[in-house]
Amino acid sequence: MAKWLLMLFDAFSLSIPCQFHPKVNSTIIMPRVSRHHIVNRSFCTFQPLSPQDALEERLILDSIAWPETPLLPSPISLEQTTDPAQSTVTILPGRKGGQWHVGDQLEVMIQTFDFQGRPKKSGGDFITARLHNRKLEAGVAGQVVDHLNGSYSAVFSLLWEGDAQVEVTLVHPSEAVTLLNRLNREQPDRTYFKSLYRSGSVSETTICNVCLRPTKQLKCNYTDLRTGEPWFCYKPTNLSCDTRINHFRVAFKQSLTLKEEKLFQSGVNQKVCIQGIGSFNVLPKEDGQLKVKSSSVTSLPSGYYYQGVWRALGGTTVSQFNSSAITQCLKGKAVHMYGDSTVRQWFEFLNALLPGLKEFDLHSRKQVGPFMSLDYENNILVTYRCHGPPIHWTPIPTRELRYIANELDDLNAGPNTVVVLSIWAHISTYPMEIYIRRLQSIRRAVVRLLDTNPGTMVIIRTANSRALSLQVSLTNSDWYSLQCDKVLKAMFKGLKVHLIDAWEMTLAHHLPHNIHPPPPIIKNMVNCLFSYICPQKHG
Ligand SMILES: *[C@@H]1O[C@H](CO)[C@@H](O)[C@H](O)[C@H]1NC(C)=O
Ligand SMILES: *[C@@H]1O[C@H](CO)[C@@H](O)[C@H](O)[C@H]1NC(C)=O
Ligand SMILES: *[C@@H]1O[C@H](CO)[C@@H](O)[C@H](O)[C@H]1NC(C)=O
Ligand SMILES: *[C@@H]1O[C@H](CO)[C@@H](O)[C@H](O)[C@H]1NC(C)=O
Ligand SMILES: *[C@@H]1O[C@H](CO)[C@@H](O)[C@H](O)[C@H]1NC(C)=O
């Protein structure tokens, strides 16, 4: 697939600094076992794809396939699912028999056991791993390899000298992942939306979604003619489809049995550490040793924290930008941010940080925007606009429902334009095809933008890990985010865009996971952003 994509985007150079490493993710699954999602044709309808896009879709779905749970007993019995409290982590001695140096890789073996204490014989658990040293504020994400027999390896690059502690986390047992996968196939409408219609004194509200179940009610088809993005509402009885005035999220329909809910218990089997190893010591780099490199099964992490500062691997150095350095960097530039609240957070961060940047009151709705900030003296413009539906916020006027691809097509860009995108958190309850198609249309727009404005810079923020409750898991579990993250990274590989690896930046950090990462992480992300926009000569 990579080769095919590279052919497709041959015209672009491959300079990818501030380290986005062109690798798929931190969880490798091999061999591929099952197909991922299958669109539920009974109530999801899509525009046909070009043969090229259809091929890409198929290859991507194959590449993110997750092992199925062999025989999911019905009803599910918790006793036979992974119990992180009984599962074990052991360090493999490595080729130097228990001595590690900076530049080596460390491998740990994870054996899973169920609640009855029996070793698990199948894979598919969603496990993450991190190596860290709290005192040094150092941390790096590990790569987890599923051996499909109940054991997993986690592989870490050793990047600092001194203590290092292994942390392995069961995010979900495989049965929970199977359920999450099934929910997207069978209930892609479990988060649901409404629109208000009004004409004169008559008003009505109807249900809307990407996939709308067939009923006797007629539908209004709001499929975007330029991008082909699907969106439907039931037709109001007494009003026409063009009287729709807003969009809002109503609720989330809880649809699991009590037994199934038991698969998502914080502190029991959801984001729980697997105990095992204390810390061990990493010795200085050996003389004559080569740089840290990836082995045959794993690739390098995209970066790591040291003294709280994100260091990218393999590419340009991440520099530290204070407010005056950022203002200097942005002089004469326009930065346009599009997407969900995780990029709006950057907009807010800049507003708070830069004394000269003042938000102009557009009388927009809180959360939704659009927002605009100006620094007149330095001719800086920063804007934010949310992405098109599905979007979970409260009432958004229909006129403000804009697809990123269309916005990019309409953008008056130039060499002083920076475009920042973030799209993941609102699109996770659907079959993956929806996300792939959304990214295909955005990518086409990015290609057109860069063709006409080669100097424009495009930066994409990837998905991040977040705190999980039952409801959050069912709508925006880290598992969904990881799958989106893999798709995003694969689809923009080889393009002249920069990625900021929010996934690893949140996984590697010691602060608790949060949909809106805390300021120290945002500061590091913003430093990455400005290291792309204004690369420093000497780091
Ligand atoms: C599972 O597979 C891995 C990799 O092939 C192997 O090293 C390990 O011994 C196996 N574990 C069991 C319990 O069979
Ligand atoms: C499609 O959705 C319906 C209704 O939720 C469900 O019964 C059916 O199993 C789904 N089909 C597939 C292929 O998942
Ligand atoms: C919705 O409209 C689009 C664009 O006109 C069209 O291609 C599609 O077939 C329509 N879908 C349905 C279900 O009517
Ligand atoms: C539509 O109009 C009819 C006639 O005025 C009225 O009886 C009915 O309640 C209206 N339906 C809705 C959903 O507003
Ligand atoms: C920002 O950093 C530069 C050096 O990198 C320093 O000279 C300057 O005083 C700093 N400004 C502020 C406001 O901290």
Side-chain angles (χ1 to χ4, degrees):
M1 176 186 65
K3 208 184 277 170
W4 178 80
L5 276 174
L6 283 182
M7 269 161 44
L8 200 62
F9 301 107
D10 217 20
F12 296 104
S13 84
L14 268 168
S15 65
I16 307 178
C18 188
Q19 203 26 36
F20 166 63
H21 231 270
K23 67 168 186 150
V24 179
N25 71 343
S26 55
T27 306
I28 306 176
I29 301 299
M30 14 178 217
R32 317 293 187 204
V33 176
S34 73
R35 269 294 155 74
H36 190 60
H37 299 98
I38 301 158
V39 168
N40 198 320
R41 303 281 171 197
S42 73
F43 62 112
C44 290
T45 55
F46 294 131
Q47 308 276 81
L49 289 181
S50 72
Q52 233 178 17
D53 285 349
L55 173 64
E56 179 186 37
E57 182 180 270
R58 194 169 56 73
L59 292 173
I60 286 181
L61 290 178
D62 284 348
S63 76
I64 62 165
W66 199 269
E68 292 268 4
T69 318
L71 282 167
L72 192 60
S74 180
I76 290 170
S77 93
L78 189 66
E79 288 70 42
Q80 288 160 38
T81 65
T82 300
D83 178 6
Q86 300 193 53
S87 301
T88 60
V89 183
T90 42
I91 294 186
L92 298 186
R95 63 188 167 81
K96 291 173 208 148
Q99 264 203 6
W100 291 274
H101 294 264
V102 171
D104 287 343
Q105 284 200 326
L106 170 83
E107 187 177 347
V108 303
M109 188 57 93
I110 302 147
Q111 177 60 52
T112 53
F113 290 85
D114 66 18
F115 282 89
Q116 295 172 325
R118 292 177 308 202
K120 294 266 294 179
K121 295 280 196 288
S122 59
D125 289 344
F126 176 22
I127 290 172
T128 57
R130 173 170 98 95
L131 193 69
H132 66 112
N133 177 325
R134 187 70 183 77
K135 260 208 198 110
L136 290 175
E137 288 193 76
V140 65
Q143 277 205 302
V144 177
V145 180
D146 186 345
H147 298 303
L148 301 172
N149 61 5
S151 75
Y152 301 76
S153 297
V155 182
F156 302 95
S157 298
L158 301 180
L159 296 155
W160 63 85
E161 205 182 304
D163 268 6
Q165 183 141 18
V166 175
E167 182 184 285
V168 174
T169 304
L170 176 77
V171 184
H172 293 303
S174 62
E175 291 79 4
V177 172
T178 303
L179 257 174
L180 293 176
N181 214 343
R182 199 186 78 201
L183 281 178
N184 279 12
R185 224 165 40 230
E186 295 178 0
Q187 297 168 25
D189 53 350
R190 64 193 181 282
T191 297
Y192 72 106
F193 304 88
K194 280 188 174 175
S195 271
L196 171 68
Y197 291 79
R198 188 158 61 209
S199 177
S201 59
V202 185
S203 65
E204 254 183 271
T205 302
T206 71
I207 288 177
C208 309
N209 221 319
V210 178
C211 305
L212 215 49
R213 284 167 202 267
T215 63
K216 289 208 183 76
Q217 265 174 291
L218 294 172
K219 289 178 188 175
C220 293
N221 180 352
Y222 299 111
T223 299
D224 185 77
L225 294 179
R226 289 162 76 184
T227 63
E229 296 296 342
W231 191 256
F232 301 92
C233 298
Y234 291 118
K235 190 189 168 302
T237 327
N238 293 330
L239 290 169
S240 69
C241 290
D242 56 15
T243 59
R244 183 175 63 140
I245 64 168
N246 71 16
H247 161 96
F248 54 100
R249 186 180 93 142
V250 184
F252 163 72
K253 280 177 281 189
Q254 167 70 275
S255 54
L256 296 187
T257 65
L258 284 175
K259 274 236 162 80
E260 289 170 333
E261 284 185 7
K262 291 244 181 319
L263 291 170
F264 301 92
Q265 297 177 77
S266 298
V268 177
N269 56 5
Q270 176 167 272
K271 250 190 208 186
V272 176
C273 279
I274 299 177
Q275 303 298 329
I277 334 167
S279 59
F280 65 98
N281 192 40
V282 183
L283 301 167
K285 192 183 283 231
E286 280 179 305
D287 283 345
Q289 189 181 356
L290 295 170
K291 274 180 63 186
V292 179
K293 57 176 189 293
S294 54
S295 70
S296 55
V297 286
T298 56
S299 47
L300 285 175
S302 64
Y304 66 105
Y305 288 102
Y306 191 75
Q307 290 170 343
V309 169
W310 183 252
R311 297 182 173 185
L313 285 172
T316 304
T317 316
V318 182
S319 310
Q320 305 305 300
F321 287 82
N322 61 20
S323 59
S324 48
I326 292 177
T327 301
Q328 201 56 37
C329 168
L330 285 183
K331 228 170 204 171
K333 288 193 167 58
V335 182
H336 299 289
M337 303 185 180
Y338 302 96
D340 53 40
S341 62
T342 62
V343 71
R344 189 184 65 217
Q345 214 188 344
W346 294 7
F347 177 86
E348 288 159 0
F349 186 88
L350 291 183
N351 279 326
L353 183 68
L354 304 183
L357 191 68
K358 298 274 183 276
E359 188 165 350
F360 188 82
D361 185 4
L362 295 171
H363 303 283
S364 295
R365 275 160 211 270
K366 216 170 158 264
Q367 288 194 316
V368 174
F371 300 122
M372 177 167 87
S373 289
L374 295 162
D375 176 341
Y376 275 103
E377 198 180 313
N378 295 295
N379 194 26
I380 297 168
L381 169 67
V382 185
T383 69
Y384 166 79
R385 180 177 274 288
C386 71
H387 65 66
I391 188 113
H392 291 183
W393 302 327
T394 35
I396 304 181
T398 313
R399 287 164 210 283
E400 299 295 354
L401 292 175
R402 314 262 186 98
Y403 291 98
I404 291 175
N406 293 340
E407 291 299 301
L408 295 184
D409 280 345
D410 295 342
L411 187 66
N412 187 13
N416 288 316
T417 310
V418 179
V419 166
V420 188
L421 309 176
S422 171
I423 177 161
W424 59 278
H426 299 240
I427 308 209
S428 52
T429 45
Y430 302 96
M432 192 53 88
E433 285 86 338
I434 306 256
Y435 189 61
I436 293 174
R437 283 154 191 252
R438 178 66 59 96
L439 292 186
Q440 283 174 336
S441 84
I442 292 174
R443 190 179 58 193
R444 279 193 292 273
V446 165
V447 169
R448 285 190 292 267
L449 178 71
L450 294 176
D451 274 344
T452 41
N453 303 284
T456 296
M457 179 165 286
V458 178
I459 295 162
I460 305 179
R461 181 206 190 282
T462 74
N464 59 259
S465 57
R466 64 180 296 181
L468 299 181
S469 62
L470 171 66
Q471 163 148 349
V472 168
S473 282
L474 300 185
T475 49
N476 191 215
S477 158
D478 283 356
W479 182 76
Y480 291 132
S481 303
L482 171 68
Q483 296 294 87
C484 286
D485 194 62
K486 287 189 264 188
V487 169
L488 178 84
K489 286 171 179 172
M491 288 186 65
F492 282 88
K493 196 168 177 171
L495 260 80
K496 213 188 115 206
V497 303
H498 304 289
L499 281 96
I500 292 180
D501 197 336
W503 182 256
E504 284 195 18
M505 291 181 80
T506 49
L507 221 55
H509 205 277
H510 65 85
L511 284 171
H513 296 171
N514 190 318
I515 176 78
H516 299 126
I521 297 179
I522 298 300
K523 185 170 187 294
N524 277 296
M525 290 174 170
V526 166
N527 281 331
C528 272
L529 176 72
F530 289 105
S531 297
Y532 283 133
I533 302 173
C534 298
Q536 307 288 293
K537 300 252 153 44
H538 305 289

